[in-house]
Amino acid sequence: MTDPVEEACLQPMVLEPIIYEAGTCENQELEVPVFDHVTEVTENPMIGFEGGIAPLKCTNCGSKRKEPKWKKVEDPNRRQSKRLVIKNFKLPFEELPLDCKLHIFSYLDIFEKGAVCMVSTQWRSLAYHSSSWSYINLRLFSLCSHQKQHIKCPRTCQPTDAYNRYMRRLSAFYKTLSQIKPNVRTFIMTADIDETKNEPSPWLRLIIKLLESFNRIRLTYIDIDWTVSPYRPSTLDRYCCLITKVRSSVRHHEDRLKQFLSLLKYLTKRLPGLLYLTMPFHWSNISLGLLCKFRHLQKLNLKHYFSFKPLPPQFLTVLLLCLPRLTDLTLAVVNATFQTRHVYRVRHPNLQSLDITHCTGFFIRDMDLPALKNFSVKRNPWQGYLVNPNFLPCLYDVLKRGAPELHVLNKCRLYPYWKEFLYLDLDAALKHACPCVKHAT
Ligand SMILES: [Zn+2]
Ligand SMILES: [Zn+2]
Ligand SMILES: [Zn+2]
């Protein structure tokens, strides 16, 4: 049998129980304790008076109490055992099963994990466990320690040196990750996949190497920006004249597109079950064909890549036909606005959210989106004047016909009667969105 006090002390997180004792009655000033059962109770500090044993009559004079007065006392036993409390105190975290601990660790970012490694060998092994790396965001790396603390770099911090150090840190991190073999769910990174003239690009090789080292069963969210390398100092690219600069940037652009296709090919082959995909996208027959292979996609965010590559309307139709589970679509397309042929028909049975705020020259003529709830659209300053507005239908009519379930337009909640009549606020909202004669001019 263990000592009851010790036993009580072992209960975690109950550090200072409040013990009450009966005071004196109104007739006599007596020292505590007054009642037998009260002394009984105070002997065991862990039992309060909730059990309905509050004294009602005085044992000395028999007078009734209106209200028992309680005062807080310090329990001598309790005080002694504080040492025991500290000695036997266990963090509730240690008591958790391994899965829960790993789940908690998976919320730490890269740097917090590094800090946590210094606590104990157990925590270190937890931080290095493959299951605590479900979220990997390589955009968290900063160029130098000054930037991380949001202070201005001193003169000694040369951008090229800092960049080289940053690259070394990244590659060291890659090595560690490939040893851990993480069970990744989310993978986020940014790197220009055509950074040097070497073939194939070192970044592309690194991305593929890294993805190969992962345990990819649960990898469902990918956000890769393959167009720029963060922090790359401009002094690394020196040109003798403007023509060389233009030529080399055109060549880089072509090379980058090749690398983009091989990246996309790799992703379709190795991660066919992807649910969320975010990346800049260059529209072509091949890239569209590859994108359509992600049959399970639910959220798709295609950003704009810098060239003026129009999105042919049939491309969008094919894409929406091939991705039946899509619920969220964000598009950024820049079409030349003097051509009125970029008028789109959007049809999808399950699409709930559509965002074309960053599109230019993207006009919707017809819509069949029975599940659409959230729609964001903006009339770019460019569009609306070069195009013949008579050619374009009013967005209000398009929405009324094609999106009966719409709740939110440009983050504003619609009134339930929006289909019956065009109220003032809605009309004002359409003035920033609709390309028709009435709203654009
Ligand atoms: Zn009394
Ligand atoms: Zn610095
Ligand atoms: Zn209109």
Side-chain angles (χ1 to χ4, degrees), residues 201-360:
S201 141
W203 273 110
L204 182 64
R205 243 176 8 207
L206 259 179
I207 297 173
I208 289 178
K209 233 185 190 172
L210 200 59
L211 285 170
E212 277 299 308
S213 73
F214 289 172
N215 180 3
R216 294 181 302 269
I217 302 167
R218 289 182 179 171
L219 184 52
T220 48
Y221 184 105
I222 278 202
D223 179 350
I224 295 181
D225 185 346
W226 47 271
T227 57
V228 284
S229 283
Y231 317 124
R232 187 179 160 79
S234 54
T235 47
L236 281 181
D237 312 289
R238 282 221 183 92
Y239 302 102
C240 56
C241 61
L242 190 67
I243 297 170
T244 328
K245 192 181 174 181
V246 172
R247 265 196 202 143
S248 97
S249 69
V250 167
R251 206 191 52 240
H252 273 307
H253 168 69
E254 284 165 358
D255 284 353
R256 197 179 285 127
L257 289 184
K258 262 187 229 154
Q259 310 287 7
F260 162 64
L261 286 182
S262 34
L263 173 66
L264 204 59
K265 224 176 259 172
Y266 171 81
L267 291 179
T268 48
K269 211 168 114 196
R270 305 296 269 176
L271 298 163
L274 216 58
L275 299 182
Y276 310 102
L277 179 66
T278 300
M279 61 159 58
F281 200 76
H282 182 79
W283 294 93
S284 68
N285 282 322
I286 306 170
S287 65
L288 176 71
L290 289 169
L291 186 61
C292 287
K293 286 189 181 169
F294 296 110
R295 294 269 162 176
H296 301 273
L297 269 189
Q298 291 172 5
K299 269 187 193 171
L300 182 60
N301 184 350
L302 299 179
K303 292 174 192 163
H304 173 239
Y305 179 53
F306 74 76
S307 71
F308 277 75
K309 184 77 182 171
L311 169 62
Q314 65 271 22
F315 273 32
L316 188 64
T317 315
V318 171
L319 183 71
L320 291 178
L321 267 178
C322 289
L323 305 177
R325 299 189 188 179
L326 205 65
T327 56
D328 266 65
L329 178 64
T330 306
L331 275 183
V333 180
V334 175
N335 292 327
T337 42
F338 48 82
Q339 292 167 318
T340 39
R341 61 195 169 103
H342 299 305
V343 178
Y344 296 84
R345 233 182 211 147
V346 192
R347 277 168 190 222
H348 198 278
N350 299 320
L351 201 67
Q352 290 176 11
S353 167
L354 178 64
D355 186 344
I356 52 164
T357 339
H358 297 288
C359 289
T360 306

